[in-house]
Amino acid sequence: SRILKIEDWYNYIAISNITKVVFCYEGNPSDELWNQQYKYLASILRTEIKLLSPQIIIFIIGNAIKCGYEKPVFEAFPFLKEDKYLVDERIWGSYETQKETRELKTTAYNYEGKLLIFTDRPDSLFSKQFMKEHVNVICNIISKFYDSIDE
């Protein structure tokens, strides 16, 4: 894919966290801190994406989805709940918990010429072993997206 071959690819990437305020020693915000900023997160996310105008957006939310960190994304972009925009979904690993087998997956949506990718976190204790598969899945989805544009 052309983006993967650009020498200074890092100049084309912006990173943003769903939560904007977190104490550095805690990792994720406390419930109190989450509640204080929650009502602003969807608006901030929409503004960031409008200003940056990316063609590809990757949300690394993963297992945090079970904690509700995906909610501001779906509030900002409610169309993502509609299957008509779903273009790809791939499982790149799995692991066992005491209660169940959890699949690690990446899901992609095409909306108004933008590729929005949701993916499980590749840095957890259980998913580190699948790092190569994770990278390959994202690269393949991006390549497929650019191939569809070039046709």
Side-chain angles (χ1 to χ4, degrees), residues 52-71:
L52 296 172
S53 190
Q55 191 171 27
I56 298 169
I57 304 163
I58 302 173
F59 295 99
I60 303 174
I61 299 176
N63 291 328
I65 286 175
K66 293 160 188 70
C67 299
Y69 291 150
E70 84 291 357
K71 288 180 183 177

Side-chain angles (χ1 to χ4, degrees), residues 116-141:
L116 292 91
I117 299 172
F118 287 80
T119 191
D120 280 311
R121 294 181 62 87
D123 60 351
S124 74
L125 175 66
F126 301 108
S127 61
K128 279 185 180 180
Q129 62 185 318
F130 302 109
M131 190 70 76
K132 183 176 180 182
E133 291 87 347
H134 184 242
V135 169
N136 286 337
V137 161
I138 292 175
C139 289
N140 289 335
I141 289 171

Side-chain angles (χ1 to χ4, degrees), residues 47-129:
T47 301
E48 287 174 335
I49 289 174
K50 182 179 179 182
L51 290 173
L52 296 172
S53 190
Q55 191 171 27
I56 298 169
I57 304 163
I58 302 173
F59 295 99
I60 303 174
I61 299 176
N63 291 328
I65 286 175
K66 293 160 188 70
C67 299
Y69 291 150
E70 84 291 357
K71 288 180 183 177
V73 175
F74 288 112
E75 287 176 14
F77 308 105
F79 61 82
L80 292 175
K81 292 185 177 182
E82 300 177 34
D83 283 344
K84 67 182 179 180
Y85 299 109
L86 178 68
V87 293
D88 209 330
E89 187 171 66
R90 302 186 193 191
I91 297 168
W92 45 271
S94 66
Y95 63 92
E96 302 287 329
T97 68
Q98 292 179 347
K99 298 179 183 178
E100 63 187 346
T101 298
R102 288 198 179 156
E103 294 179 330
L104 299 164
K105 69 180 178 179
T106 299
T107 307
Y109 301 86
N110 186 338
Y111 182 75
E112 296 183 351
K114 293 185 185 300
L115 181 65
L116 292 91
I117 299 172
F118 287 80
T119 191
D120 280 311
R121 294 181 62 87
D123 60 351
S124 74
L125 175 66
F126 301 108
S127 61
K128 279 185 180 180
Q129 62 185 318

